[in-house]
Amino acid sequence: MSHTIHDKKKLLARVRRIRGQAGALEQALEQGGECGAILQQIAAIRGAVNGLMMEVLEGHMREHLMDEAASQEQRQQDLEQISRVLRSYLK
């Protein structure tokens, strides 16, 4: 996936923020933090993961589904792969 290499710095920054948020959540749970703050942190992590997913998914679709050099069969396979991933992600 060349688009992930192209956006590598931005994607890694997102992953590192998520890691930091997950660490803060772990610490809050270990220290018996307030439920409201913990719920808010969980929501923030979910939003960050959704943002990361959208960024990679959009790049993947643009790179593979819009590739005029790709055959119709290849585009169909890419579309099926995206559909499988989305079904799994949305469970």
Side-chain angles (χ1 to χ4, degrees):
M1 269 205 242
S2 61
H3 56 92
T4 56
I5 293 169
H6 175 71
D7 295 334
K8 181 178 177 179
K9 193 172 187 176
K10 183 168 59 170
L11 295 174
L12 287 173
R14 282 181 175 266
V15 169
R16 289 180 182 123
R17 277 194 302 276
I18 293 168
R19 185 184 322 143
Q21 289 173 316
L25 174 60
E26 180 180 13
Q27 186 176 17
L29 290 169
E30 285 177 348
Q31 295 175 355
E34 293 183 25
C35 292
I38 289 172
L39 289 169
Q40 186 174 12
Q41 189 64 36
I42 292 169
I45 292 168
R46 181 178 181 192
V49 169
N50 286 343
L52 176 64
M53 177 66 155
M54 198 62 217
E55 188 81 25
V56 174
L57 180 60
E58 183 178 351
H60 181 75
M61 290 186 324
R62 288 184 189 283
E63 182 82 16
H64 296 279
L65 298 181
M66 302 298 288
D67 182 6
E68 293 180 12
S71 68
Q72 184 64 27
E73 181 180 336
Q74 183 60 49
R75 287 184 194 173
Q76 184 64 36
Q77 289 173 359
D78 288 336
L79 181 59
E80 288 173 15
Q81 177 190 32
I82 290 168
S83 294
R84 282 192 307 273
V85 169
L86 283 175
R87 276 194 292 284
S88 174
Y89 184 73
L90 294 174
K91 280 187 179 180

